[in-house]
Each structure stands twice: as C-alpha cells, then as structure tokens.
Amino acid sequence: MEEGRAERRRRTEAPSCTQGGARRAGIMTDVHRRFLQLLMTHGVLEERGVRRLQKHCYRVHGRTAAVEELEDFINNINSVLESLYIEIKKGATEDDGRPVYALVNLATTPVSKMASDFAENELDLFRKALELIIDSETGFASSTNILNLVDQLKGKKMRKKEAEQVLQKFVQNKWLIEKEGEFTLHSRAILEMEQYIRETYPDAVKTCNICHGLLIQGQSCETCGIRMHLPCVAKYFRSAPEPRCPHCNDYWPHEIPEVFNPDKEREAGTSKANKKPSRSRQH
Ligand SMILES: [Zn+2]
Ligand SMILES: [Zn+2]
C-alpha cells in the first residue's frame, strides 16, 4: 500500500507528457463518468460501439457541452484513471484489424482480476486453455483438447459438461472467442494479458515482425519462420509489387487477408451490419 502511495505521488508530481505533447490533467464530467461506467459493463467494445456510446453519453448528460474528439475524450479519462492503474487501451482484432477499446487493469494480473467472477477450478481451466492456445501453431485450441484436461484442474472437481459451460462463460465475458469448436483469445484478453503472457510463457510467446506486438493468430514465413498479424500482413503488402518476406525476402506464400478499412467502413455507413470475415488460418 505504502509503495502504491509513493508511486502515485511520484506520478502526479512528474510532468505527465505523452508523445503527443503535454497532457493536461483531465476533468471528468458526468458525460465521461457515464461513458466509463458503460464501458466497464462491456469490458471491450469496437470503435464504432465506443463512438455510439460517447454520443449517447453527450445526449444524456452534456447537451450543452462541447463534444470532444474521441481521442481527447479517452485521454481525458485516462489521465484521471492513471492513479488507479486502470486504462482505456486501444487495440485491434487479430483476424481483421477492427479497432477495439478495452478497460484494462494495469496493477493486477488478469487472472486475479477475473477471480471475482470465477471459481478456482474455472480459472485453472482458463489457464489450461491459455497454455494450449499459446503453445499452438495456429493460435487456436480445440475444445476437445481443453476438455481433456479437466481431470487435472485445481480446486473442485469439474465434469466435462460443466467445463463446456465454463468455456461458454469465458466467451460471453469476452476472454475467449470460439470459432468452429476451437478457442482463441479475445482482443480484450490480449490487451489486458500481453504483459502477463510475455512474463509467464517467455519461451512460447510469438511476436509480430511488423508491430512487435504479441501474436496469437497470424501468418508465418515458411523459410525463416517470422510471423505477422493478419492486419499487419495486409498493411505491409498493400503497396508492395509482390509479397516478399520482410526478413528473408523469400516469396510470401499465403493469401493476403482482407482486413478492416476505415475508409470503406465510412462509405458503407454505420447502419450496415459488420461483415464477418472469412476465417483465415494460414500459417
Ligand atoms: Zn503486428
Ligand atoms: Zn522469411
């Protein structure tokens, strides 16, 4: 506790500067507070949902307030959250690069954050699934492989049927994504757990050759083995005459995925439902 306070003091005394320049201490109005509360109940939202939420909060509480740009709005809230070791973090979905925002806890390990919602054996099931996902070539663990580990769980004994329901609970809470009976990490989990995963599985983690972020799903070079996120592949090869590995210059043997394009999105308008990308599992 003592340490926390000292750290907090140090943080408030230090001039808080970001790459963008000096960051003024934020002032939270009812608009910001409502936004934060609602984001908290969602845990993670896509950018379009975040914009909708922001609009909603201005409509309810700030009819006369000047509407802040989303980035300023979020920075403003983050400058207040800083002392609580919580942050609204921006990331992207691994499969198609749609921007997402999640409220993440910087102070505790994610597994202990989840502890209030899940029993010990359920958390251990999550850990087992996480390990299988991290160790896999594809970034996916099959439900069969996860369920085969239920006998090894810490805490109360769990049947396979129960374990299946627990896995669905992880999906509902946006820690896991399920595709055709296989599980991978939700972008919420990646945003929140990147540090934890890097520290816990230093030998198994994969990173993207382009953005250097943690990589769960992606494509890899068949010659030198480097990996890239699908959105990073799409961006990197967008203007290239032919796709060659950024590391060994060998021909890139995978299909270049189609990913989120903010300009196209704008053209399509906001009323149209999100087109689900075809599942890309090339490696
Ligand atoms: Zn990347
Ligand atoms: Zn290569």
Side-chain angles (χ1 to χ4, degrees):
M1 213 54 242
E2 219 17 69
E3 196 196 344
R5 210 174 300 140
E7 170 68 7
R8 227 166 9 239
R9 206 176 309 124
R10 195 184 58 68
R11 277 167 164 251
T12 40
E13 276 164 13
S16 49
C17 291
T18 54
Q19 313 93 302
R23 186 204 268 181
R24 65 191 164 84
I27 297 163
M28 295 258 276
T29 66
D30 284 343
V31 180
H32 300 89
R33 267 188 288 275
R34 153 121 357 179
F35 175 88
L36 182 59
Q37 262 165 16
L38 292 172
L39 182 61
M40 222 181 277
T41 63
H42 289 284
V44 63
L45 273 180
E46 279 185 29
E47 187 170 284
R48 53 160 66 198
V50 168
R51 289 189 185 280
R52 212 176 294 140
L53 196 63
Q54 189 198 19
K55 241 188 223 157
H56 164 80
C57 295
Y58 272 109
R59 217 163 30 229
V60 175
H61 287 293
R63 287 181 176 279
T64 56
V67 177
E68 286 177 303
E69 284 292 322
L70 183 60
E71 202 184 320
D72 296 335
F73 187 81
I74 302 268
N75 282 341
N76 199 352
I77 297 174
N78 276 343
S79 68
V80 175
L81 293 182
E82 206 176 17
S83 59
L84 302 169
Y85 297 102
I86 305 172
E87 189 179 283
I88 301 173
K89 240 182 174 173
K90 187 179 180 182
T93 54
E94 271 205 315
D95 54 359
D96 64 355
R98 273 167 294 140
V100 295
Y101 290 79
L103 189 68
V104 304
N105 200 326
L106 306 170
T108 56
T109 63
V111 177
S112 65
K113 184 195 168 178
M114 293 162 71
S116 53
D117 297 330
F118 296 97
E120 189 191 5
N121 55 356
E122 297 177 335
L123 285 179
D124 207 35
L125 182 69
F126 183 83
R127 248 181 243 117
K128 294 268 191 292
L130 178 63
E131 268 168 36
L132 287 174
I133 290 168
I134 303 278
D135 282 338
S136 73
E137 248 325 281
T138 58
F140 283 82
S142 73
S143 66
T144 317
N145 287 348
I146 300 171
L147 296 175
N148 278 340
L149 300 173
V150 290
D151 293 337
Q152 303 169 22
L153 297 182
K154 284 186 213 142
K156 216 172 131 235
K157 216 170 146 33
M158 195 188 286
R159 291 167 200 269
K160 277 194 183 173
K161 261 258 150 322
E162 287 170 69
E164 270 173 42
Q165 287 163 4
V166 175
L167 286 174
Q168 288 312 317
K169 213 159 105 184
F170 288 129
V171 171
Q172 280 154 21
N173 285 263
K174 297 169 188 162
W175 295 108
L176 296 178
I177 294 173
E178 187 184 5
K179 282 177 182 171
E180 298 159 28
E182 295 195 40
F183 293 88
T184 187
L185 290 188
H186 196 288
S187 43
R188 175 191 192 180
I190 296 176
L191 275 173
E192 180 124 21
M193 296 187 184
E194 169 151 9
Q195 199 50 36
Y196 169 82
I197 291 171
R198 283 181 188 275
E199 284 165 15
T200 314
Y201 310 101
D203 301 326
V205 287
K206 304 171 186 92
T207 40
C208 171
N209 190 266
I210 301 297
C211 71
H212 307 290
L214 178 73
L215 180 147
I216 305 291
Q217 313 169 48
Q219 293 181 345
S220 67
C221 174
E222 282 170 7
T223 313
C224 73
I226 62 121
R227 291 168 195 274
M228 296 198 260
H229 288 123
L230 300 177
C232 292
V233 166
K235 218 182 282 169
Y236 185 78
F237 292 132
R238 191 169 293 158
S239 51
E242 57 174 2
R244 292 197 165 271
C245 172
H247 186 248
C248 70
N249 206 35
D250 228 351
Y251 192 75
W252 194 256
H254 308 289
E255 196 187 317
I256 310 304
E258 250 198 68
V259 296
F260 176 82
N261 180 335
D263 302 330
K264 257 193 199 158
E265 189 80 357
R266 230 166 282 135
E267 279 165 30
T270 45
S271 58
K272 231 167 121 192
N274 226 340
K275 181 182 145 276
K276 279 268 165 282
S278 60
R279 181 179 183 181
S280 194
R281 293 288 302 274
Q282 314 99 311
H283 291 277

